[in-house]
Amino acid sequence: DLLQALPATEFASLNGDVRLLTPGAVEGWSDLVHCPSQRLLDRLVRRYAETKDSGSFLLRNLKDSERMQLLITLAFNPEPLVLQSFPSDEGWPFAKYLGACGRMVAVNYVGEELWSYFNAPWEKRVDLAWQLMEIAEQLTNNDFEFALYLLDVSFDNFAVGPRDGKVIIVDAENVLVADKRLIRQNKPENWDVWYESKFDDCDKEACLSFSKEILCARVTVDHNYYAVCQNLLSRHATWRGTSGGLLHHPPAEIAKEGRLEALLDECANPKKRYGRFQAAKELREYLAQLSNNVR
């Protein structure tokens, strides 16, 4: 019985009259709180939906059972907390959190996985690729100054709404949140040096190379662009025995022009210093232009 076992665990130390959930107590429990700030933790507690006292960032305002459930969720599968703290209602690209019953969580059904669009008409694939790059940008740079880095990027982790054609992240278990305000405040070594992710040419599907420590310590990081370009869009993307990525077999005139292939290559495996940052920006603009042309 989980409830009977809990008092004997480290979670119990956060029971009773503990006022705030603090970084020192939960740091490293999961990707979500690999490097938490007080601002992030206050947001997690304030937006925790499975309590009558939703809206307070004070941990002691939760009942013991609610607090235990919050802590266990944070440690073992923080996905529901990502969906609650960065909700779709506010424009975040995640599935909508509906509620929980015990350890069962309900989210809205978005639609078919991105994978099922692998051989969709070219116009559709261009639009989906543009949306994926926009998601990478939104999660990296937003007004809240939280960078949400996707550590698991594959065709099965995104879905497409059948009516609106909107791309949504449907697997948010492996999301690392870095607080850019805290990084600027603490100024760790090289905090203001732009960080370029290393291309990972491995034999498996959906490979990504990253250092969580670096994601937590730099303000400007290209990880999300790298993940989307390498694992979903470019010729390096392999999934279920296919290769060539979502933008495989472009129309003859686009293939002949060569710009799309050059941008995808530079975004996945840059040859120039800071090449990925520039390529990602140009790729977003180019895909927007292509999708506007075909609409």
Side-chain angles (χ1 to χ4, degrees):
D1 183 327
L2 201 55
L3 283 175
Q4 282 187 330
L6 280 172
T9 68
E10 63 176 298
F11 298 111
S13 64
L14 289 165
N15 238 335
D17 196 32
V18 178
R19 186 169 174 272
L20 289 176
L21 192 60
T22 57
V26 300
E27 187 173 343
W29 278 13
S30 60
D31 289 334
L32 176 58
V33 287
H34 189 79
C35 49
S37 65
Q38 191 61 56
R39 190 166 72 101
L40 173 64
L41 296 182
D42 288 350
R43 186 183 181 96
L44 294 179
V45 175
R46 194 171 63 246
R47 290 171 175 247
Y48 183 54
E50 302 309 316
T51 168
K52 287 193 169 64
D53 189 43
S54 189
S56 168
F57 61 85
L58 295 176
L59 200 59
R60 68 179 177 203
N61 285 359
L62 300 181
K63 288 196 277 197
D64 281 1
S65 59
E66 294 170 344
R67 190 183 301 122
M68 286 296 103
Q69 188 155 349
L70 168 63
L71 297 175
I72 285 173
T73 304
L74 188 56
F76 292 110
N77 181 6
E79 181 172 32
L81 301 176
V82 174
L83 304 183
Q84 290 167 41
S85 300
F86 301 95
S88 60
D89 295 352
E90 294 176 10
W92 295 95
F94 297 109
K96 183 178 174 64
Y97 179 84
L98 300 176
C101 180
R103 287 181 243 171
M104 183 79 179
V105 167
V107 300
N108 74 316
Y109 173 71
V110 174
E112 297 271 346
E113 290 171 348
L114 182 64
W115 168 248
S116 64
Y117 290 84
F118 190 80
N119 289 314
W122 171 251
E123 294 82 358
K124 181 67 179 174
R125 290 185 282 129
V126 165
D127 178 62
L128 297 176
W130 171 73
Q131 289 189 62
L132 287 164
M133 290 303 292
E134 287 292 310
I135 286 173
E137 175 62 24
Q138 179 189 6
L139 296 184
T140 304
N141 299 305
N142 52 68
D143 293 342
F144 301 96
E145 293 188 274
F146 286 118
L148 281 67
Y149 296 117
L150 303 175
L151 305 186
D152 182 9
V153 173
S154 71
F155 280 89
D156 288 357
N157 291 348
F158 298 82
V160 181
R163 289 196 187 88
D164 58 9
K166 200 171 172 191
V167 177
I168 296 291
I169 299 164
V170 290
D171 184 346
E173 188 177 343
N174 302 108
V175 175
L176 184 149
V177 179
D179 188 336
K180 293 189 182 187
R181 273 188 213 167
L182 186 68
I183 297 171
R184 287 193 185 96
Q185 184 185 313
N186 290 347
K187 296 182 169 51
E189 189 181 355
N190 294 326
W191 67 277
D192 54 350
V193 177
W194 289 19
Y195 180 72
E196 297 180 280
S197 305
K198 300 285 183 288
F199 173 70
D200 190 359
D201 191 12
C202 78
D203 299 332
K204 302 191 189 76
E205 297 178 331
C207 288
L208 281 181
S209 64
F210 53 84
S211 157
K212 292 180 186 179
E213 275 53 53
I214 287 176
L215 296 181
C216 287
R218 303 283 183 101
V219 168
T220 308
V221 177
D222 64 3
H223 173 85
N224 285 332
Y225 314 132
Y226 150 67
V228 167
C229 284
Q230 177 179 291
N231 283 6
L232 301 176
L233 303 186
S234 74
R235 62 190 173 88
H236 303 286
T238 57
W239 191 248
R240 296 195 187 178
T242 66
S243 58
L246 191 62
L247 293 173
H248 62 89
H249 297 102
E253 66 274 14
I254 290 170
K256 189 177 172 193
E257 184 194 17
R259 187 174 175 214
L260 179 63
E261 189 182 356
L263 288 174
L264 286 171
D265 270 358
E266 190 66 12
C267 183
N269 187 10
K271 305 295 182 285
K272 299 195 291 271
R273 192 178 186 207
Y274 301 141
R276 186 180 283 119
F277 290 97
Q278 185 60 32
K281 180 176 180 291
E282 288 183 30
L283 184 59
R284 277 170 49 229
E285 292 165 358
Y286 185 54
L287 290 169
Q289 180 192 325
L290 284 179
S291 48
N292 285 336
N293 286 345
V294 295
R295 277 177 184 157

